[in-house]
Amino acid sequence: MTQKNHKDFNRVLTRIDVLVLAFGAMIGWGWVVLTNEWILSAGSFGAMLAFLLGGILVVFVGLTYAELTTVFPKTGGAYFFLKETLGKRFAFIVSWALLLGYISVVAFEAVALPTVVEYIFPDYQFGYMWTLAGWDVYISWAAVGIIGSIVITFINWIGVKQAAFLQLTLTILLVAVGLLLAFGSFIGGSAENMKPFLAGGIGGLMTVLIMTPFLFVGFDVIPQVAEEMNIPMKAIGKILILSVGFAAMWYILIILSVSLGLSPDQLENTKLATADAMAVVFGSPIFAKILILGGIAGIITSWNAFIIGASRIMFAMAEEGVLPKWFGKIHPKYKTPGNAILFIGFLSTLSPLLGRPALVWFVDAGGLAIVVAYFFVACAFLYLRKTQPDLHRPFQAGKSSIVGWVALLLSIGFILLYMPGMPSALVWPYEWAITLIWWIIGFYFLFKIPGNIKTDYKGAISDEQSTPFNQ
């Protein structure tokens, strides 16, 4: 990428902006709807242990990202990790995988928003359109997601600082609601409700553990905005790992709070365990509505972060000539990759028309793509450690390569979980169709890339070299 691109983007993101961007991306809607499943599967302590272990595992992947981000501080993140190590075609593969993962999250949130509103206003559906996978789609239901998509897309289109302010505001609301639940559970809950502490044995623990990498996805948005940060390079790695730590603490706190607030029988018969726990510990259904507002904030923070991440990947790929140049246009006034944002916004605007079953389709198809990307990033990390051990690294993930090997093995393990024959395999036809269609389109662009040319990268941008951009 040329020096010109440093001038095209506004370097306006502070340490807090970047931390909140990643944390908000990881804390979406899952904590509201899945907490009872985690506790019932593994028990209260078992579920918390799964998230503690999952957080540790994700830290290994995050460390590879952290080091490579400071070596290649360019918009597009993983694309340049692979381009500068294994070549342009591998760079395309990892970026195309991340794009599916990120766009799947964006589409997921556009479907999740009307799903949440339905809990608050259960009778707002009218205007039947069609039935998909046994679920009736109504125009009023879809309109909530469509309008939300248009608003989020517009905010991102007019500037990353505006998007970051939205992220900060909603994350504060999200955290306040979560802390309110915790406070109420500690005061009005009961330790007896936490029994059984362990359930389902090793199988129960694994059931929750395999969900954690995908609930933690979001820290990898940080590399996508490397050229919009107004912070020293060496701080990026620390912020990335800190965001994973905060997310792990958040999930553990929510599990503890719900375990204290609801008995096992109540957990068995709840649709939204966190909302019901909030109502029980405070003795009023009004507090359940307050928690739903926190859930909506979680949807929007994740939605917002992944539009930012996906649009920056598309911009980088267009700049590199592996996607049409149209996606690489920077808006002359707002200094954002406006065309890429509009394209992703268009896709998310259509997704509510698929109805609620699309939630699972997007999560599963996108989850596989993201773990594939993790695998290739670990490969890039190990390749660079082997071929250029003395390369300047503003943030270094340990002196040995053990971090990369652990990330690589974990990625392979999770990829296998999606394959046919496994209990968590992708579902045919919907989830495999999304995956296959995406990669058929991707192979069209991949085969147009001439050779697998890679750059001999000579060194990272040091903090001193990057200072002019950080002022």
Side-chain angles (χ1 to χ4, degrees):
M1 195 174 291
T2 63
Q3 183 76 8
K4 173 180 177 292
N5 296 121
H6 288 288
K7 297 177 181 177
D8 283 340
F9 283 108
N10 286 331
R11 285 186 173 269
V12 294
L13 297 180
T14 65
R15 284 178 171 84
I16 294 297
D17 290 334
V18 175
L19 178 61
V20 168
L21 179 67
F23 177 77
M26 287 183 275
I27 306 300
W29 172 243
W31 64 278
V32 178
V33 296
L34 298 175
T35 306
N36 64 316
E37 292 186 25
W38 302 335
I39 298 170
L40 291 172
S41 296
S44 56
F45 283 179
M48 287 186 279
L49 178 61
F51 272 90
L52 176 61
L53 294 175
I56 293 171
L57 300 182
V58 172
V59 163
F60 281 99
V61 178
L63 283 167
T64 63
Y65 268 86
E67 179 171 306
L68 291 170
T69 299
T70 62
V71 175
F72 309 114
K74 298 182 179 183
T75 296
Y79 179 88
F80 289 98
F81 302 168
L82 271 294
K83 179 195 171 187
E84 308 289 2
T85 53
L86 302 181
K88 208 167 185 176
R89 285 184 175 171
F90 284 106
F92 177 87
I93 291 171
V94 74
S95 299
W96 194 249
L98 278 177
L99 262 183
L100 174 56
Y102 287 10
I103 292 175
S104 293
V105 174
V106 172
F108 170 91
E109 305 301 0
V111 178
L113 183 60
T115 303
V116 177
V117 172
E118 187 178 5
Y119 283 105
I120 303 175
F121 305 106
D123 300 320
Y124 83 101
Q125 296 191 20
F126 61 84
Y128 170 82
M129 292 190 290
W130 46 69
T131 300
L132 285 175
W135 202 85
D136 296 337
V137 182
Y138 291 85
I139 190 169
S140 59
W141 190 92
V144 173
I146 290 170
I147 293 170
S149 178
I150 292 171
V151 172
I152 298 297
T153 300
F154 176 75
I155 291 172
N156 275 272
W157 187 62
I158 62 174
V160 71
K161 191 62 180 176
Q162 287 82 352
F165 177 76
L166 174 67
Q167 193 82 351
L168 177 61
T169 302
L170 292 176
T171 300
I172 291 172
L173 171 61
L174 172 67
V175 171
V177 170
L179 292 177
L180 184 63
L181 170 62
F183 174 78
S185 296
F186 295 157
I187 299 300
S190 169
E192 283 296 313
N193 288 338
M194 298 184 67
K195 297 179 180 179
F197 299 124
L198 297 172
I202 295 297
L205 180 67
M206 292 299 295
T207 298
V208 180
L209 184 61
I210 62 172
M211 300 182 193
T212 56
F214 319 114
L215 292 163
F216 283 119
V217 68
F219 68 86
D220 46 334
V221 170
I222 291 178
Q224 314 308 335
V225 293
E227 292 185 67
E228 295 165 270
M229 300 180 192
N230 188 29
I231 59 178
M233 287 297 105
K234 63 183 179 182
I236 296 175
K238 297 175 183 177
I239 293 171
L240 193 151
I241 300 306
L242 192 62
S243 69
V244 175
F246 281 158
M249 290 170 58
W250 171 266
Y251 283 118
I252 290 171
L253 179 65
I254 295 299
I255 292 168
L256 176 61
S257 301
V258 172
S259 298
L260 289 168
L262 296 179
S263 68
D265 288 340
Q266 290 172 314
L267 285 172
E268 288 277 7
N269 297 292
T270 180
K271 289 184 178 181
L272 286 179
T274 43
D276 288 345
M278 187 84 138
V280 168
V281 297
F282 284 102
S284 171
I286 294 176
F287 283 88
K289 307 291 186 184
I290 293 174
L291 189 127
I292 292 295
L293 291 177
I296 293 174
I299 288 174
I300 296 175
T301 57
S302 181
W303 195 345
N304 188 50
F306 283 102
I307 283 187
I308 292 173
S311 61
R312 272 59 178 181
I313 294 175
M314 295 194 81
F315 165 82
M317 296 173 77
E319 282 283 284
E320 290 288 306
V322 298
L323 284 183
K325 287 290 185 184
W326 185 83
F327 293 109
K329 299 291 185 183
I330 295 291
H331 194 283
K333 178 180 178 182
Y334 301 126
K335 304 299 182 184
T336 58
N339 290 350
I341 290 171
L342 291 176
F343 176 76
I344 295 163
F346 173 73
L347 294 180
S348 70
T349 300
L350 295 179
S351 59
L353 299 175
L354 298 175
R356 187 172 178 176
L359 284 172
V360 178
W361 304 343
F362 293 139
V363 167
D364 290 347
L368 172 59
I370 287 168
V371 180
V372 167
Y374 288 171
F375 169 80
F376 281 107
V377 170
C379 290
F381 175 92
L382 292 169
Y383 179 90
L384 201 65
R385 279 295 187 97
K386 181 177 177 60
T387 58
Q388 300 193 54
D390 298 324
L391 185 67
H392 173 63
R393 294 168 168 86
F395 176 89
Q396 188 168 350
K399 295 186 179 300
S400 72
S401 298
I402 187 65
V403 164
W405 286 111
V406 173
L408 185 75
L409 293 174
L410 289 173
S411 300
I412 293 172
F414 279 102
I415 288 171
L416 293 176
L417 294 176
Y418 288 96
M419 296 299 107
M422 300 297 287
S424 52
L426 294 188
V427 175
W428 179 264
Y430 306 107
E431 295 167 5
W432 277 114
I434 292 171
T435 300
L436 293 174
I437 291 171
W438 183 260
W439 284 104
I440 288 170
I441 296 170
F443 284 135
Y444 167 77
F445 292 114
L446 178 65
F447 292 137
K448 292 178 69 175
I449 299 173
N452 197 28
I453 302 169
K454 66 182 179 69
T455 304
D456 184 19
Y457 196 75
K458 300 299 183 182
I461 295 177
S462 68
D463 289 322
E464 288 79 16
Q465 289 171 311
S466 64
T467 299
F469 302 121
N470 295 333
Q471 292 176 350

